[in-house]
Amino acid sequence: MDYTKLKNTELFLFDMDGTLYLGDNVYEGAIELMEDLPRLGKKYIYLTNNSSRAGEDYITRLKKLGFPCERENVFTSGMATGMYLNQRHPGASVYLAGTKAFYRELVSYGIRLVNDELGHTDADTVDVVVQGFDTELVYEKLDRACHYLRRGSVFIAANPDWVCPMPAGEVLPDCGSICALLTAASSVRPNYIGKPNRNMIDVISEMTGIPNEKICAVGDRIYTDIAVAQNAGSVSVLVMSGETDEKILAEAERKPDYVLRDVHELHEILKTL
Ligand SMILES: [Mg+2]
C-alpha cells in the first residue's frame, strides 16, 4: 500500500463517535494516537457534526475521557454555522431551533437571535431559520420554524446526519431527520453547513494556513466524514470501527483513499512513515 498521502498530511481531522469512541467507551489505542501525533509532526482537530453541544462542551468531554484537547483542537458544525451566518447573512434576524448549548454558541458569534434559549419568541417574521441537532426539541420550535419557512425565511441546518449513533446499536434522530419533517411541512429544503459541505475544511484551511491536500479526514461514516474530504480535495481515511460495514463500503460510489480497521491501525502505519 502506498501511504504517501498520509506521510504528506500535516493536519488530521478526527470524527469522534464511532471513530475515537462510542458513547463513553474509548476505543483501544485512540488516546495513545492523539498523544503521539505531535511527536509524529502532525497537527489534529476534533471535527464533529454534532450541533447539540458547544465547542467548550467538547473540550470538557474529551479531557474527561482522557484525550488531549485545547481550544484550537475542536471544530463543530455549530461553530461553522456561526461563522457562515456572519459571512453570508451579517446582521440577519435568526430563529434557532436547537439546544441551549447551540444557542450560547451562536450568541458567542454575535448572531441576532429572536428567540430565547427555549425557543420562545414573539417575532412574526425572521430572515433565517437555523435548525440544529436538537436533543431538547419541543413542538413549539417545529411550529415556529414551519411558520417562518412558509413566509420565506432562509433555511440553514447545522448538519445533515439522519441519526446519531449510540452504544448497543441504538441511534438518536439527528438534525437531518428533524429537517425532513420541516421540509415535509413547509416544502423548503435546508442548506446544510456541516460535513460533507466542503466549507468545513475550507474554513479550517483558512484558519490554519494548511492547504486542503495536506489535510486528512478520519471517520467512520462515508456520506459525511469521507465525502467532506472528497468534496474539499483532501485525503480520507475510513475506519471500520463505527457504522460502515463491508456491504455499505462496497456500495459506495466514491471510495476512501484508505480503509483501516480502526485508529490504532492508523497509529501503527504513521509510526512507520
Ligand atoms: Mg462518526
Side-chain angles (χ1 to χ4, degrees), residues 15 17-19 220 225:
D15 172 56
D17 271 309
T19 299
D220 69 307
D225 303 324

Side-chain angles (χ1 to χ4, degrees), residues 15-213:
D15 172 56
M16 290 181 263
D17 271 309
T19 299
L20 298 174
Y21 55 72
L22 193 60
D24 286 334
N25 307 320
V26 177
Y27 289 161
E28 192 192 333
I31 292 172
E32 290 78 357
L33 165 63
M34 303 313 294
E35 286 177 335
D36 204 26
L37 283 173
R39 191 185 66 81
L40 295 165
K42 312 291 190 189
K43 292 187 164 67
Y44 62 89
I45 287 176
Y46 301 99
L47 183 68
T48 179
N49 261 8
N50 189 331
S51 54
S52 72
R53 294 193 175 107
E56 286 293 337
D57 301 325
Y58 269 103
I59 299 172
T60 308
R61 174 168 167 71
L62 284 161
K63 281 185 170 169
K64 205 172 135 200
L65 289 171
F67 286 95
C69 183
E70 300 302 329
R71 205 163 192 351
E72 69 268 20
N73 299 119
V74 171
F75 196 66
T76 73
S77 63
M79 295 162 70
T81 302
M83 295 168 79
Y84 180 88
L85 287 168
N86 278 331
Q87 269 178 4
R88 304 290 182 88
H89 302 279
S93 59
V94 174
Y95 180 76
L96 171 67
T99 60
K100 291 190 277 297
F102 191 14
Y103 186 93
R104 289 193 295 274
E105 186 91 273
L106 290 187
V107 167
S108 79
Y109 280 91
I111 305 304
R112 192 155 68 86
L113 295 161
V114 300
N115 55 293
D116 66 14
E117 282 193 341
L118 298 174
H120 303 316
T121 177
D122 293 328
D124 191 47
T125 59
V126 299
D127 299 321
V128 180
V129 169
V130 172
Q131 180 67 55
F133 172 24
D134 191 358
T135 52
E136 300 156 8
L137 182 65
V138 292
Y139 194 81
E140 180 186 352
K141 294 184 191 174
L142 296 172
D143 174 25
R144 284 292 86 195
C146 182
H147 171 92
Y148 298 132
L149 292 174
R150 285 169 52 88
R151 281 159 183 76
S153 296
V154 171
F155 190 9
I156 291 171
N159 59 294
D161 308 64
W162 298 110
V163 295
C164 175
M166 298 296 285
E170 295 293 320
V171 298
L172 299 175
D174 205 322
C175 185
S177 297
I178 300 171
C179 288
L181 185 157
L182 290 174
T183 297
S186 68
S187 301
V188 184
R189 289 176 192 282
N191 174 16
Y192 290 109
I193 303 300
K195 301 178 274 189
N197 189 331
R198 63 170 291 166
N199 165 65
M200 287 288 269
I201 289 182
D202 290 338
V203 167
I204 288 170
S205 175
E206 270 173 43
M207 291 190 303
T208 60
I210 297 171
N212 287 17
E213 63 270 21

